[in-house]
Amino acid sequence: MRKAMAENSLWRRRAAYRLAHRSKRNVPMAEYSALSLLRNALSGNRDWTPAWRKPDPKPAYDVIIVGGGGHGLATAYYLAKEHGITNVAVIEKGYLGSGNVGRNTTIVRSNYLLPDSIRFYEHSLKLWENLSHDLNYNVMFSQRGMLNLAHTPGQADDFIRRGNAMRHERVDAEWLTPAEIARQVPGLAIGGTARFPVVGGLLQPRGGTARHDAVAWGYARGADRRGVDIIENCEVTGFLRDGDRITGVKTTRGEIRAGKVGVAVAGSTGQVMKLAGVDRLPIESHVLQAFVSESLKPFIHTVVTFGAGHLYISQSDKGGLVFGGDIDGYNTYAQRGNLPVVEEVMSEMVALFPGLARVRLLRSWGGIMDMSMDGSPIITTGPLPGMYLNCGWCYGGFKATPASGWSFAWTIARDEPHRINAAYTLERFHRGAVIDEKGQGATPRLH
Amino acid sequence: MLITCPYCGPRDVSEFTYQGEAGRTRPDPASTDRAAWDGYVYDRLNPAGEHSEYWQHSGGCRAHLLVKRNTLTHEIASVAFAREDQRIHSAGRRGKGARP
């Protein structure tokens, strides 16, 4: 009886909570449904409305987010959804999806070693698992598994240690034998004549891929429908200041004031922060190249990484192989790389899948990575009053998009970090509290 | 990208190892100025435009080079031996007068 009462009161509290949060959480979002597809098909698909408006900037907002990439759009979305802050502008110098959110290899995973990293990326993975539903936008999140191949017994020990660290934090990790890998990944050079025989592999079954443009578009639409202004083709050329305090931005479309300004510009962090008078940061900008092959029949069913070099490869739903390797390894802001890395990535792919030697490359491109000094990101208040900084994603920012936006929104709304991003400060470098997954030290080209 | 090594002439970038921003001066080893050490180890200029940087011709004559390169265009303005760059000598060495 007492138990029934307790349950009853819990149930009532939950119902009251839902009622109180209904207006904020249940914004009418189901624009896309089987019914709306059918209705629009019957009317010749002429009645679809644009996924986001093209507003002119207002003179002032509560919050401005500089950077309309995945992280900036996600931040605006969660500011509106989780914190009820809807008087927000996202300022983008190009068009949505023109930067790294449309330039990555679409991999999503949380297979890290250090507790701070595991908790952050696992939070992200959990957001990914409900993202299409949350946004009412199909981001094609596919949990096809993330497989790290080990090629030496020492590397296997290292991977198993990482797998155990993940399981400590209740993240899924499994160790596969070469025979199991051979069954799961046909065409892979495993033993016998393999140039780099495989001794095992660490699988995260919940890892996978997502449609990267859809992530930008979905967050953009979700933010827009909640009142956020997304202002494209509007470059920030300076900051408005009152003493030390940042009070807005100067742009190519005029001055815009704001109570708070968040900067989430990835590879352009150095350029944008210089406009605010911050000359030195623990960041170097580097170029990462990525590649897509011609379409093939489906044969790679998971994301596979090569441990004897650095290669990650998956197959898109269109059939193209999507893959990449190391960054070029020198400071650059040019969105293109050099040929030695292209050759290295191709040779690694052929070492792993000898049968791909004659497959043709469809296209390649480069994106600018904000490489931090310990390989981990920065999501923090500051470094100036009225300013908030989100950067240092190295080349792992795509999978972090939901948690980055979620925790950056929290940090902006409450002027303090959430516990999942509390470690990602700027001053960790000055306290020696670096989060260096690989133990490489302050040499960004090695992270 | 080709880098013209003063010894070897123009060579492919794959022969070289990147060593990062030039001109970061190491504080005197006896220094206890934490901000100076933090800045030296972690902070970078990361300019969009001309960048002074060190490369080693590790696949050639092994000389350490000071390269001025544009980070927006990859255009190289000059290449010199790093030993001719006065800035590489640490504050400590300079203070003790071990090298000019």
Side-chain angles (χ1 to χ4, degrees), chain A residues 270-271 274 279-285 329-334 336 338 340 373 429-431 434 442 445, chain B residues 1 12-14 17-18 20-21 34 38 41-48 51 53 55 69 71-74:
Chain A
Q271 278 173 298
K274 272 191 184 55
D279 281 337
R280 288 183 170 269
L281 280 170
I283 298 282
E284 277 182 9
S285 294
Y330 45 81
N331 284 53
T332 174
Y333 285 87
R336 58 189 164 79
N338 272 291
M373 291 294 148
F429 298 101
H430 307 306
R431 291 192 295 116
V434 293
R445 70 181 169 84
Chain B
M1 200 155 80
D12 189 83
V13 67
S14 59
T17 305
Y18 186 62
E21 182 184 313
R34 270 185 68 177
D38 293 342
V41 175
Y42 293 116
D43 290 344
R44 302 287 187 274
L45 273 172
N46 195 27
H51 189 228
E53 57 200 24
W55 291 77
R69 186 179 56 93
T71 58
L72 292 164
T73 62
H74 295 170

Side-chain angles (χ1 to χ4, degrees), chain A residues 112-404:
Chain A
Y112 282 76
L113 173 68
L114 301 176
D116 288 323
S117 312
I118 298 175
R119 286 169 202 163
F120 180 83
Y121 289 104
E122 179 59 14
H123 184 77
S124 205
L125 189 49
K126 284 177 178 160
L127 289 171
W128 275 110
E129 285 174 329
N130 196 37
L131 194 60
S132 291
H133 179 73
D134 187 31
L135 296 174
N136 177 230
Y137 202 103
N138 187 2
V139 298
M140 295 169 69
F141 181 48
S142 159
Q143 293 182 292
R144 57 185 64 187
M146 172 81 200
L147 176 62
N148 297 141
L149 298 175
H151 303 268
T152 65
Q155 192 171 34
D157 288 348
D158 182 42
F159 284 8
I160 289 168
R161 176 184 174 222
R162 180 152 52 86
N164 282 331
M166 290 162 66
R167 294 178 81 144
H168 264 298
E169 297 286 340
R170 289 172 289 180
V171 175
D172 58 323
E174 289 171 24
W175 183 251
L176 300 188
T177 63
E180 289 167 323
I181 293 168
R183 272 200 301 280
Q184 200 160 107
V185 191
L188 189 66
I190 288 191
T193 57
R195 174 69 182 80
F196 298 99
V198 174
V199 302
L202 183 68
L203 176 72
Q204 182 180 25
R206 286 163 61 245
T209 59
R211 169 90 197 274
H212 53 191
D213 314 290
V215 176
W217 300 334
Y219 273 122
R221 191 182 67 108
D224 177 90
R225 294 295 187 265
R226 286 175 161 82
V228 172
D229 281 357
I230 295 163
I231 300 159
E232 294 171 83
N233 301 309
C234 179
E235 185 174 351
V236 168
T237 55
F239 286 86
L240 301 174
R241 315 180 65 133
D242 178 11
D244 254 1
R245 176 164 281 276
I246 299 291
T247 57
V249 292
K250 293 177 198 162
T251 75
T252 48
R253 296 179 65 180
E255 294 187 353
I256 314 172
R257 303 203 156 265
K260 299 179 175 185
V261 177
V263 176
V265 295
S268 305
T269 299
Q271 278 173 298
V272 171
M273 293 304 284
K274 272 191 184 55
L275 299 174
V278 178
D279 281 337
R280 288 183 170 269
L281 280 170
I283 298 282
E284 277 182 9
S285 294
H286 286 247
V287 65
L288 176 69
Q289 302 188 66
F291 310 88
V292 169
S293 79
E294 60 186 324
S295 284
L296 305 170
K297 291 265 169 95
F299 82 105
I300 300 181
H301 307 294
T302 58
V303 183
V304 182
T305 74
F306 178 48
H310 191 193
L311 175 89
Y312 32 92
I313 184 167
S314 65
Q315 192 169 16
S316 79
D317 292 352
K318 284 189 288 188
L321 300 170
V322 183
F323 57 103
D326 269 327
I327 54 176
D328 272 36
Y330 45 81
N331 284 53
T332 174
Y333 285 87
Q335 284 176 318
R336 58 189 164 79
N338 272 291
L339 287 171
V341 169
V342 178
E343 191 180 6
E344 189 182 306
V345 170
M346 298 306 142
S347 65
E348 288 178 338
M349 185 179 77
V350 173
L352 204 53
F353 294 98
L356 296 179
R358 301 186 65 181
V359 166
R360 285 166 297 187
L361 200 61
L362 201 60
R363 56 181 186 273
S364 73
W365 62 91
I368 304 306
M369 307 295 123
D370 37 338
M371 303 299 297
S372 70
M373 291 294 148
D374 61 357
S376 292
I378 293 155
I379 310 172
T380 184
T381 56
L384 299 169
M387 184 183 244
Y388 303 80
L389 182 61
N390 178 324
C391 66
W393 292 102
C394 297
Y395 45 112
F398 178 67
K399 63 179 163 305
T401 305
S404 167

Side-chain angles (χ1 to χ4, degrees), chain A residues 87-117:
Chain A
N87 187 21
V88 176
V90 177
I91 312 274
E92 164 57 41
K93 78 173 169 188
Y95 59 91
L96 293 196
S98 59
N100 292 347
V101 72
R103 289 169 184 266
N104 54 73
T105 47
T106 80
I107 297 167
V108 175
R109 60 187 177 87
S110 64
N111 55 354
Y112 282 76
L113 173 68
L114 301 176
D116 288 323
S117 312

